[in-house]
Amino acid sequence: MKKNYASLCAAVFIAGFLYFVYVTMMPQWVSQNSSLSEFSTPKALEHLKKIAAKPHYVGSQNHTIVANYLITELQKLGLKPQLQEGTTLTEWGNLVKSKNIIAKIDGRASSKALLLLSHYDSAPHSFSYGASDDGSGVATILEGIRAYLHQNSTPKNDIIILFSDAEELGLNGAALFVTQHQWAKNVGLVLNFEARGTTGPSYMLMEVNEGNAALVKGFTAANPKYPVSNSLMYSIYKMLPNDTDLTVFREQGKIQGFNFAFIDGHYNYHTQQDDYAHVNPTTVAHQGAYLMPLLSYFSNANLQDLNTKEDFVYFNTPFYFVTYPFDWVLPMSLGALLLFLFLMVLGFGKKILIPQEIAKGFGRFFGALLTIGALGYFGWQLLLKIYPQYADIQQGFPYNGHTYITAFVLLALAVGFLFYSNIKSENSVLNQSIAPLFLWITINFGIAFYLPGAGFFVIPVYFGLLMLAYFCITQKSSLLVNVLFAIPALIIYVPFIIQFPIGLGLKLLVGSTTLTMLTFGLLLPVFGLFTRKGLWAFMLFLVAIGSLVWGQFNSDYQAGKAKPNSLIYVYNADKNQAMWATYDVNLDNWTQKYLGNHPKKANTTIPNPLFSKYNSAFTYTSIAPIKKLMRPTISFLRDSIVGTQRYLKIQIAPNRQVNRYDIFASIKMPIYNLKANGAKAIARIGSFYQRKNERVLSYYVVDNEPLELEFSIPSKAKLDMNMMESSFDLLSNPLFSISPRAKWMIPSPFVLNDAVVIQQKIKASPKITPKITATIPIFDSRKDSLKTAVDSLKVKS
C-alpha cells in the first residue's frame, strides 16, 4: 500500500511540476495597470481592434486607412512620423511599391540606434484581418512607446520606430528601408515583433551575422520576466530559409537583432480567422513583457560592439535563464561519459550491475523506442487516411491537433510502462537504466559535433547519472531522490515534446513520441519503481484512446474552425478558353458548384508555377464560361539589338482594376540587366538575373499602375514570355455570380485565391488600324496634270 501511495504521489508531483513549468512560461492573465508608465495590454488591444477591423493587404483601400491611423497615433505621442515610399524587387521575386511609416526618438549621445520593427500589412488572397500577423506587433510597439515616453527619460541611443510595409509579399518594406533610407546605416540592433499563429507563448529567436554571445549577454542583462527561448531553436533557425523582415536587416544591412513571435494556433495563420476575436490577450501581454525591459536596456546600452564569433548555449527555466559558451558542450559530454564509465566500474566492482540484466535492458529499451516511433509515424498516416479533411489545412496542424499530441504522448507513456511492466526489483530497474543512459550520452556526442545549440540536452543526463550513482553507493533506490533528480528532464525535454509538432506540424508526432520514450528511459529509475506498471499502462492507454475519440468529435469544420477552400477563374486569351481551378484536395459543395461532382485533375493548362509558401499546385480544373474581360495593353517601348544582346522595354498596362501580375519566361531564355518599374533585384550580383524556375517576378499592383520591364536577352534567343493578370474580386466582380461561402468555410491562405485571371503570351497588343478614306478628284485635262491629281488625294482618318 505504501508503494502504491508513493507511485501516485510521484505521478501527481510530476504532473503538477509540468503544469508549473507551463504557467510560468508566459503571463496567465491581463492586468489593468494603473501606472501610465507601464505597458497596458488593454490599451494595446484597443489599437489592435482598430488595426484589424478589416483586411488591409497592400493595394487595398483599408491598407491606406491603417497607414493613416498609425501616422495619427504616432503624432499623438508627440513624434514626427515620415512616410518612405519606393519600389523594390526582393530576392523572393516580388515587386511592389511600399510605404514605410517611420519615426524617431532622439537620444542624448547616440552612436547606434535601437530599431523597433513590425509590419502593418496583412496577407493578401485569403481575406486575413492581420490581427496577430502583424497587428499585434504594431499594437505592442505603439503601446510600449507610449509607456516609455511617459517615463520622461531621455535614452542614450536614438530609438527608431519602423512600421514596415509589404512584409507579406516579400519583405519589401524592410528592403526599402535598409537599402534606401539614410537612418538605416545608424541602426545597431533590431527588436522585431512577429506572429505565426494567434496564441501561445512568444519565443525569442535571434538573427546574428556570426556568434550570438553579445546578444545573449544583453538579453540576460535586460532580464525579461518571461523568457522563452533556447539555443536549439537558434541552431535550427540558422539552417532554415529565414523569412522575416529582420532577415533583410541581417543580410543586406549586416544588422543583428531579436525576433519575438508566437506560433500556437498556427491553423489561423494568414487566414480569415486571424482576426481580433482569435488573438489571445495574454500572448499580447507576453510580447509587451519582452518589449519594455529590452527597450529600457538596449536604448542605453553600447550597440556598437555586438559582433562576435563566440556562440552561447542558452535555455529558459522557471527559475533562471541559463547560458554558457559553446566551448563547454564537448567537455560536458566527455564528463558525462567519464562519470558513466566510472559508475559502471563501481557497479561491476560491487556486483550490483549484472551483464545479463543490462543486455535485457538494451533489448527492452530499443524495442520500446522502435515500437513507439512506428506508432507515432504510422498512427498519424492512418489518421490522415481516416480524416482526409486534415489535408485541407496547409499549415499541417488541424484544429484538434493539441488533442492528438496529448493522445500520442500518453500512448508513448503507456508503451513505456507496458515494456517494463514485469520488472519488479530495484536492482533490475537500475541495471536496465544503463541502456537509455548510454544512448543519451551517444546522442550528446553527436550534438556536440553537429548541433551544439542543443548542448544543454546533456544536463538531465548528469542527473540520470546521479540516480545511478546514488544506487551504486547506497545499493538501494529512493523514489523521492529520483523524482527530484528528474526535474531537469521535465524542464528541458518535455517542452520540446509539445513544441515540435506545434512548430513543424503533426508530421512531427513521431518526434514527440520518440522524445517521450527517450525521456521515459532516462527517468526509468523513477517510473521503474512504480508498482503495478501494467495498470498504469492500461490507464494511460485508455486516456489516449479517449483523446482520440475526443479528436473524432472535434474533427468537423464549424464557424471559427473553418474549412479552407479555393476557387479562381482563368481566361486564356491566346486560346480564347476559360476554366475554373482550385488548389483543394477535398472539394466541398461550394467548389463543386463550379468544378462539378467529378472534376478533372489539373493538367498542363496552366503550366507556369505560381508562387506559394508550400509549393501548392492546382488539383482540379473544369471548363468555365467565357467572360468579356478587358485585356491589358502590352507595349514594346524598346526593341533593339546592340552587339550580342537584344534590349527590350515592355509596358503592361491594365484596362481593369487589378492586383497582381505574374511574369514567366522560358528557363532556356537567360535574362540580363532586369529592371522592373525602375528597380533591380536587391540581391543581384552582376547582370544575370537568377531564378529557380520559369517565374520571373510577381508584381503587386498599387493604384493600378502599369508594369514596366527593362531587360536584355541574347540576340539569337527567342522571346518566350507569358503573364497572368489577376484581380482579387471573383466574389464581387459584376461579371460573375459567385455565391458567398458558408460560415464554416474560409478562403485558403498562401495561394492565389478568389481571383479573376487573364493568361496570355507577352507580345505587342494589336494596334487599331485607322479607317482611311480617299477623295478621288475628277480629272480635268484642261486644268490638271496627272501629278496634280495624285497630290490632291486627301487622307482622312
Side-chain angles (χ1 to χ4, degrees):
M1 187 68 183
K2 272 187 175 182
K3 289 184 177 180
N4 290 338
Y5 182 74
S7 300
L8 182 60
C9 287
V12 170
F13 174 83
I14 290 172
F17 188 81
L18 289 176
Y19 178 74
F20 168 72
V21 171
Y22 170 75
V23 299
T24 55
M25 290 178 74
M26 60 180 290
Q28 296 301 313
W29 60 84
V30 173
S31 61
Q32 299 287 340
N33 293 328
S34 57
S35 174
L36 293 175
S37 61
E38 294 181 9
F39 183 91
S40 168
T41 303
K43 285 186 173 67
L45 292 173
E46 288 175 13
H47 288 304
L48 180 57
K49 186 179 291 187
K50 294 173 182 176
I51 293 168
K54 294 180 180 179
H56 46 280
Y57 57 86
V58 173
S60 67
Q61 183 179 358
N62 292 323
H63 180 258
T64 302
I65 292 172
V66 170
N68 291 337
Y69 173 79
L70 298 180
I71 291 171
T72 301
E73 290 304 307
L74 289 171
Q75 290 172 339
K76 287 180 181 178
L77 296 175
L79 303 177
K80 298 178 181 179
Q82 58 177 257
L83 200 63
Q84 181 197 19
E85 296 187 53
T87 300
T88 50
L89 174 60
T90 63
E91 59 184 320
W92 285 42
N94 289 341
L95 174 77
V96 69
K97 182 172 73 174
S98 306
K99 297 179 181 179
N100 291 329
I101 300 166
I102 313 167
K104 185 168 70 169
I105 301 170
D106 292 325
R108 62 181 183 271
S110 180
S111 55
K112 285 288 186 178
L114 173 67
L115 186 136
L116 308 182
L117 173 64
S118 206
H119 69 88
Y120 71 93
D121 62 308
S122 63
H125 312 308
S126 57
F127 211 72
S128 171
Y129 288 77
S132 291
D133 183 21
D134 198 17
S136 64
V138 173
T140 297
I141 292 175
L142 276 176
E143 169 53 19
I145 288 297
R146 182 210 60 78
Y148 180 81
L149 290 173
H150 205 274
Q151 297 170 7
N152 293 320
S153 61
T154 303
K156 173 187 174 184
N157 300 316
D158 291 345
I159 300 171
I160 300 173
I161 299 103
L162 170 59
F163 297 139
S164 64
D165 193 12
E167 189 271 353
E168 300 294 4
L169 306 183
L171 318 179
N172 292 72
L176 178 66
F177 179 83
V178 171
T179 60
Q180 299 184 32
H181 202 283
Q182 59 182 353
W183 290 353
K185 63 180 179 294
N186 296 321
V187 175
L189 183 72
V190 179
L191 306 182
N192 182 36
F193 291 86
E194 262 286 2
R196 202 211 57 175
T198 53
T199 188
S202 176
Y203 295 90
M204 181 274 283
L205 210 58
M206 282 178 279
E207 290 221 25
V208 296
N209 296 315
E210 292 184 274
N212 67 16
L215 264 63
V216 172
K217 290 176 182 177
F219 183 81
T220 305
N223 194 28
K225 188 175 181 180
Y226 301 98
V228 183
S229 187
N230 60 74
S231 48
L232 173 56
M233 294 169 61
Y234 162 77
S235 291
I236 293 174
Y237 185 71
K238 288 201 299 183
M239 293 186 235
L240 298 174
N242 304 323
D243 56 355
T244 72
D245 275 343
L246 183 52
T247 306
V248 178
F249 280 82
R250 178 178 59 81
E251 291 181 348
Q252 301 299 324
K254 308 304 178 185
I255 302 166
Q256 306 180 125
F258 297 93
N259 283 308
F260 302 95
F262 46 99
I263 63 174
D264 210 347
H266 189 199
Y267 34 71
N268 293 324
Y269 176 53
H270 277 201
T271 73
Q272 190 174 343
Q273 292 170 168
D274 186 7
D275 56 10
Y276 180 81
H278 281 87
V279 176
N280 186 345
T282 58
T283 296
V284 178
H286 196 190
Q287 294 281 63
Y290 280 121
L291 173 60
M292 297 312 295
L294 270 68
L295 173 58
S296 177
Y297 177 81
F298 285 113
S299 63
N300 292 288
N302 180 6
L303 302 182
Q304 287 187 305
D305 194 25
L306 297 179
N307 291 312
T308 176
K309 293 185 178 180
E310 185 180 15
D311 272 311
F312 269 37
V313 171
Y314 58 90
F315 63 97
N316 64 282
T317 76
F319 316 106
Y320 185 69
F321 191 72
V322 181
T323 70
Y324 56 87
F326 270 25
D327 292 342
W328 292 16
V329 174
L330 183 57
M332 289 174 71
S333 298
L334 286 170
L337 176 61
L338 292 175
L339 180 57
F340 175 75
L341 294 175
F342 171 77
L343 293 174
M344 291 289 288
V345 172
L346 181 63
F348 282 122
K350 291 189 172 185
K351 297 184 179 180
I352 54 177
L353 290 180
I354 305 167
Q356 293 86 345
E357 280 294 314
I358 293 174
K360 288 181 183 178
F362 272 92
R364 183 171 276 125
F365 180 64
F366 282 100
L369 202 58
L370 290 172
T371 299
I372 196 55
L375 285 173
Y377 178 79
F378 292 107
W380 176 239
Q381 297 303 314
L382 178 61
L383 286 172
L384 288 176
K385 295 289 185 183
I386 297 172
Y387 305 104
Q389 65 266 33
Y390 293 163
D392 297 329
I393 299 178
Q394 296 183 64
Q395 294 92 326
F397 197 95
Y399 296 115
N400 55 2
H402 296 87
T403 303
Y404 288 125
I405 295 174
T406 302
F408 277 83
V409 169
L410 292 174
L411 189 61
L413 292 173
V415 168
F417 276 111
L418 185 63
F419 265 78
Y420 290 93
S421 59
N422 63 349
I423 299 179
K424 306 298 181 184
S425 69
E426 295 178 354
N427 187 278
S428 294
V429 169
L430 268 296
N431 271 270
Q432 299 205 18
S433 71
I434 297 298
L437 275 171
F438 175 79
L439 180 57
W440 268 112
I441 291 171
T442 304
I443 289 172
N444 275 280
F445 268 99
I447 285 171
F449 287 104
Y450 300 107
L451 197 64
F456 58 95
F457 269 35
V458 76
I459 293 174
V461 177
Y462 272 96
F463 284 84
L465 290 169
L466 289 177
M467 297 182 203
L468 179 60
Y470 183 88
F471 178 75
C472 288
I473 294 170
T474 65
Q475 298 189 28
K476 61 181 180 180
S477 290
S478 168
L479 186 57
L480 175 61
V481 170
N482 291 346
V483 167
L484 293 176
F485 285 160
I487 288 176
L490 302 179
I491 292 173
I492 291 175
Y493 296 153
V494 174
F496 281 102
I497 293 172
I498 311 301
Q499 290 168 5
F500 280 153
I502 288 177
L504 300 172
L506 288 190
K507 61 186 178 182
L508 260 293
L509 273 176
V510 61
S512 291
T513 56
T514 302
L515 183 55
T516 300
M517 184 53 62
L518 285 169
T519 305
F520 184 95
L522 187 65
L523 301 185
L524 188 59
V526 175
F527 297 122
L529 297 180
F530 277 32
T531 57
R532 306 184 70 179
K533 288 185 280 294
L535 179 60
W536 281 99
F538 179 71
M539 291 190 299
L540 288 166
F541 182 76
L542 283 182
V543 180
I545 295 299
S547 297
L548 291 173
V549 172
W550 182 254
Q552 151 69 24
F553 283 118
N554 290 277
S555 60
D556 291 334
Y557 295 115
Q558 56 184 287
K561 296 181 178 179
K563 177 190 185 297
N565 58 19
S566 60
L567 182 69
I568 69 171
Y569 174 88
V570 182
Y571 172 65
N572 189 317
D574 298 319
K575 298 180 179 179
N576 194 31
Q577 296 175 349
M579 70 175 185
W580 299 110
T582 184
Y583 295 90
D584 297 4
V585 176
N586 304 293
L587 299 185
D588 50 49
N589 54 16
W590 187 76
T591 49
Q592 283 176 344
K593 288 181 184 178
Y594 309 99
L595 290 154
N597 293 324
H598 303 287
K600 294 181 179 179
K601 290 188 176 181
N603 51 30
T604 57
T605 308
I606 304 181
N608 301 119
L610 288 170
F611 176 78
S612 168
K613 184 179 179 70
Y614 297 104
N615 297 316
S616 302
F618 290 124
T619 52
Y620 299 102
T621 59
S622 67
I623 297 173
I626 295 175
K627 303 292 183 179
K628 294 183 179 179
L629 298 172
M630 295 291 291
R631 304 184 195 181
T633 299
I634 302 176
S635 305
F636 279 63
L637 305 181
R638 180 186 180 187
D639 189 352
S640 60
I641 295 176
V642 179
T644 61
Q645 290 288 301
R646 179 183 177 186
Y647 291 87
L648 295 129
K649 184 175 183 180
I650 302 172
Q651 183 189 75
I652 305 174
N655 290 309
R656 61 188 181 116
Q657 195 69 34
V658 299
N659 300 96
R660 170 174 155 180
Y661 282 99
D662 292 282
I663 307 299
F664 307 93
S666 169
I667 202 69
K668 297 179 181 179
M669 186 187 81
I671 296 174
Y672 300 91
N673 305 300
L674 176 69
K675 285 186 179 180
N677 286 6
K680 70 176 185 178
I682 286 175
R684 192 180 80 192
I685 300 174
S687 61
F688 180 68
Y689 183 67
Q690 187 72 41
R691 51 198 172 103
K692 297 178 181 178
N693 48 38
E694 289 86 359
R695 176 173 169 266
V696 177
L697 60 83
S698 295
Y699 168 49
Y700 286 84
V701 183
V702 177
D703 300 329
N704 229 39
E705 292 181 356
L707 170 64
E708 283 193 0
L709 299 172
E710 296 180 71
F711 61 95
S712 66
I713 61 175
S715 57
K716 295 183 179 180
K718 177 185 176 183
L719 180 64
D720 187 3
M721 299 185 76
N722 300 280
M723 54 141 285
M724 294 178 69
E725 179 193 74
S726 306
S727 58
F728 305 159
D729 62 348
L730 178 61
L731 272 65
S732 59
N733 194 306
L735 293 175
F736 298 86
S737 299
I738 307 296
S739 58
R741 289 179 171 86
K743 291 183 179 180
W744 56 273
M745 301 176 185
I746 55 174
S748 294
F750 314 117
V751 294
L752 179 65
N753 201 357
D754 289 1
V756 178
V757 179
I758 296 177
Q759 176 190 17
Q760 68 180 76
K761 281 273 189 185
I762 292 182
K763 54 186 178 181
S765 297
K767 295 180 180 179
I768 299 174
T769 304
K771 294 180 180 179
I772 300 176
T773 60
T775 303
I776 309 296
I778 298 173
F779 183 75
D780 188 338
S781 60
R782 292 174 300 176
K783 298 181 180 180
D784 301 313
S785 64
L786 181 60
K787 181 178 184 302
T788 305
V790 173
D791 290 344
S792 67
L793 287 175
K794 294 181 180 179
V795 179
K796 297 180 181 180
S797 58

